[in-house]
Amino acid sequence: MKKLQYNSPVILTFFLLSLGVLLLDWLTGGWTTLHAFCVYRSSLADPLFYVRLFGHVLGHADFDHFLGNMLLLLVIGPPLEEKYGSRTLLAGILLTAGVSGILQCVFFPGSALLGASGIVFMLIMLASLAGMKDGRIPLTLILAAVLYLGQEVYAMVALRDNVANFMHLVGGVTGTVFGVVLAKRR
């Protein structure tokens, strides 16, 4: 009989924490998400501000939002965790969460941000860089960047759909920079 394997600890833990946050949201009528799992400008003296600064990536508006992010996370994340290691991938997730949280507070003080879309786009760009060797830029990176960035810029300009396209871009840029730094270390 085969046993289940917790094969990707960072990605699986992220998934389970996000699922727990979604259940808490449902049980508390949205209170926990508003107060701990979406980021918005507030007092730096508020201890929950720092929880929200990183925890916003675990919160989701509803089950569809959760599913959209988690399906991609579960497909893209495990191979990257295997390639780069759990600590490195966790560092990328925390970096992306922190940068997007800070930028949200600075540039969009009147709105809140939640969801793992920035993390997912960081993983997409990191995956497209995974084949980088000898300083050569993979064509997959260029194609992914052009399509991804083009779609996000178009959505920011032409659509008013309440999606945090700027933060998707932040995730993509963070993933690209993170991937280039990792490639230089190897």
Side-chain angles (χ1 to χ4, degrees):
M1 182 174 165
K2 298 194 183 223
K3 294 181 182 180
L4 290 178
Q5 178 188 6
Y6 205 74
N7 62 310
S8 186
V10 169
I11 295 300
L12 289 170
T13 300
F14 189 96
F15 169 80
L16 292 171
L17 287 171
S18 294
L19 180 60
V21 168
L22 188 65
L23 292 172
L24 275 174
D25 179 74
W26 180 71
L27 290 171
T28 64
W31 189 92
T32 52
T33 298
L34 178 63
H35 291 88
F37 299 106
C38 66
V39 68
Y40 45 86
R41 187 183 288 180
S42 65
S43 171
L44 297 177
D46 177 6
L48 282 178
F49 171 76
Y50 302 98
V51 172
R52 289 189 298 268
L53 195 60
F54 293 94
H56 71 277
V57 297
L58 300 173
H60 290 85
D62 55 33
F63 191 68
D64 287 337
H65 184 210
F66 170 81
L67 271 182
N69 283 326
M70 292 303 118
L71 287 171
L72 286 168
L73 181 97
L74 290 170
V75 169
I76 299 167
L80 292 173
E81 188 168 350
E82 186 175 322
K83 178 175 177 64
Y84 295 111
S86 298
R87 284 184 183 204
T88 301
L89 195 62
L90 179 60
I93 289 170
L94 291 173
L95 176 68
T96 303
V99 168
S100 62
I102 289 168
L103 292 176
Q104 176 70 24
C105 292
V106 170
F107 293 116
F108 305 100
S111 63
L113 174 70
L114 77 160
S117 299
I119 302 301
V120 168
F121 287 118
M122 179 270 294
L123 294 173
I124 289 169
M125 297 311 289
L126 188 59
S128 66
L129 275 165
M132 189 167 165
K133 293 178 185 160
D134 302 324
R136 290 183 272 169
I137 300 169
L139 185 55
T140 54
L141 170 66
I142 294 170
L143 291 172
V146 166
L147 292 172
Y148 164 70
L149 295 174
Q151 173 189 335
E152 293 303 319
V153 169
Y154 169 77
M156 281 175 30
V157 173
L159 305 175
R160 300 283 180 219
D161 61 0
N162 202 24
V163 174
N165 302 98
F166 180 73
M167 293 311 149
H168 294 171
L169 291 173
V170 169
V173 169
T174 304
T176 303
V177 170
F178 194 63
V180 168
V181 169
L182 290 175
K184 286 182 180 181
R185 287 186 185 171
R186 293 182 177 247

